[in-house]
Amino acid sequence: MPRRVPRGWPQFPGTDGLGGGGGGGGGGRDAWGKKTVYKSVCLSLALLVAVTVFQRSLTPNQFLQAPPPPTLEPQKAQKPSGHLVNPNSFWKNPKDAVAPTPMASRGPQTWDINITNCSVNVNLTHQPWFQGLEPHFRQFLSYRHCRYFPMLLNHPEKCHGDVYLLVVVKSVITQHDRREAIRQTWGREQETVGRGRGAVRTLFLLGTASKQEERAHYQQLLAYEDRLYGDILQWDFLDSFFNLTLKEIHFLKWFDIYCPKVHFIFKGDDDVFVNPPNLLEFLADRQPQEDLFVGDVLQHARPIRKKDNKYYIPGVLYSKASYPPYAGGGGFLMAGSLARRLHHACDTLELYPIDDVFLGMCLEVLGVQPTAHEGFKTFGISRNRNSRMNKEPCFFRSMLVVHKLLPAELLAMWGLVHGNLTCSRKLQVL
């Protein structure tokens, strides 16, 4: 039976009266104290959960796109700061994928999925090719038709007003330290970016905790984090590697509903270094109506057929010799108008387990070629991990996006790049 959307989650103790904040700056003594308590609680709760579920492995169901059984009592829950959804219809005509319609003619502006009714596709289970697949691929294909899920936390106000750049970060519940580092550095919000341009706003995209034993604890902690910052979008599907594609299409649908006037989007992972002034300088001569999709573009990439590789794809799932051009998912820029068209294009394709490749497939449907830019380094400044360039702040200062840095590394590099940095000569990235 379909289950109802949880209308909220219990508050973490001591959260009464806290409002959502924006970005990572400001707040005064009271807000500072609350955020300090939040960080302490993060560590304590993480230790508690770790002891409780020490060395427990994932069960097969944790790869499914179907949502988990409820772990909290929705009727007893109190509403978090994130806005929950009204059950109104939203679907638009396919022709909207070609040219977005004016705001006045758009459908009801709300997330329209409020229950989950997702069962296994039994038509596949008896086919010989299906039986020969690895278990996680069988589970992915069995639930691939389960496309959209209810929202648990929503912040449509992030797109209110004149928003020039919307910064969107893929994260998971347990990586609160990464989100905190981003809020203190490149995810810091701005109300104006000069030259008559609008605001920069930040959002984090999450599903639910993958382990059922952890779900209630981390959901309470996430509700408290959202009360402090008000910057989390969460949907009721499990956070797993294959479900990163769900995160892509859910955001595109959300953006098409709530963000009709946002000019540009930066979308990236929670372990990258981003240089916002360089992003804004790049966008200065661009128009939001352009077919702009720029990043670290891979051309003629081949599906990996080695079963021990994280990105392995069996031939029955993708039989072509190469993928369409796509930008590495660590970080890319796109125009707002293209994002709205991309949402409808993605709805014409079956889901694919590698998220950045799937977006390349959607761009191919629109006939849009992603643009390569040397400032996007989604494999690090140098692919040789031991290279000195990967730790040289003068290189980072000239980049737009660099992957991959953990929170302590991000904070340290940010301090170096934005401190009294003197570079003796202009460095060239090879």
Side-chain angles (χ1 to χ4, degrees), residues 350-414:
E350 289 188 315
L351 298 181
Y352 194 70
I354 304 177
D355 57 329
D356 45 9
V357 172
F358 178 73
L359 282 186
M361 296 173 176
C362 299
L363 289 172
E364 188 178 43
V365 170
L366 294 177
V368 174
Q369 286 280 335
T371 303
H373 190 289
E374 285 297 313
F376 290 79
K377 298 294 181 183
T378 56
F379 297 96
I381 292 177
S382 171
R383 295 201 182 199
N384 177 5
R385 293 185 179 181
N386 296 321
S387 171
R388 181 181 64 85
M389 291 196 303
N390 288 332
K391 297 182 179 180
E392 173 53 60
C394 287
F395 282 112
F396 278 78
R397 188 170 69 175
S398 63
M399 295 291 103
L400 283 78
V401 179
V402 182
H403 196 214
K404 166 177 189 179
L405 286 83
L406 295 177
E409 297 170 327
L410 171 60
L411 291 168
M413 184 59 70
W414 184 266

Side-chain angles (χ1 to χ4, degrees), residues 25-38:
R29 182 185 302 269
D30 186 53
W32 180 88
K34 292 171 182 174
K35 292 175 183 178
T36 301
V37 171
Y38 158 71

Side-chain angles (χ1 to χ4, degrees), residues 203-250:
L203 283 167
F204 295 91
L205 310 182
L206 283 78
T208 58
S210 57
K211 293 184 179 181
Q212 185 172 347
E213 306 95 306
E214 300 174 351
R215 201 163 298 136
H217 298 292
Y218 278 117
Q219 192 64 38
Q220 292 176 18
L221 184 59
L222 187 70
Y224 184 46
E225 180 182 350
D226 188 65
R227 287 181 179 276
L228 288 177
Y229 298 106
D231 58 5
I232 293 170
L233 302 183
Q234 186 189 25
W235 290 273
D236 199 7
F237 60 80
L238 299 181
D239 255 321
S240 66
F241 176 67
F242 277 5
N243 281 352
L244 287 173
T245 303
L246 285 180
K247 203 164 282 187
E248 295 288 351
I249 66 168
H250 279 72

Side-chain angles (χ1 to χ4, degrees), residues 35-109:
K35 292 175 183 178
T36 301
V37 171
Y38 158 71
K39 294 175 186 177
S40 301
V41 172
C42 286
L43 294 174
S44 301
L45 186 53
L47 288 172
L48 174 64
V49 173
V51 171
T52 304
V53 299
F54 179 66
Q55 293 296 321
R56 296 195 63 168
S57 60
L58 291 173
T59 64
N61 285 337
Q62 288 160 1
F63 291 97
L64 302 183
Q65 295 173 350
T71 57
L72 301 175
E73 294 292 335
Q75 67 271 20
K76 297 179 182 179
Q78 297 179 8
K79 185 177 180 180
S81 63
H83 301 285
L84 297 178
V85 195
N86 294 322
N88 296 329
S89 178
F90 167 65
W91 300 110
K92 299 190 287 293
N93 294 327
K95 64 182 180 181
D96 292 341
V98 178
T101 55
M103 183 67 179
S105 62
R106 291 163 64 92
Q109 298 299 288

Side-chain angles (χ1 to χ4, degrees), residues 152-206:
L152 302 178
L153 293 171
N154 189 10
H155 288 282
E157 74 279 1
K158 285 289 185 178
C159 289
H160 292 175
D162 185 11
V163 180
Y164 182 74
L165 178 64
L166 185 64
V167 175
V168 182
V169 186
K170 292 176 290 184
S171 188
V172 299
I173 289 183
T174 54
Q175 292 169 350
H176 53 82
D177 55 340
R178 298 188 183 188
R179 294 191 292 276
E180 191 68 21
I182 290 170
R183 292 181 182 113
Q184 295 178 33
T185 57
W186 57 265
R188 199 173 295 163
E189 295 190 328
Q190 305 175 52
E191 286 308 312
T192 179
V193 292
R195 300 187 188 180
R197 295 176 291 182
V200 176
R201 303 269 169 77
T202 301
L203 283 167
F204 295 91
L205 310 182
L206 283 78

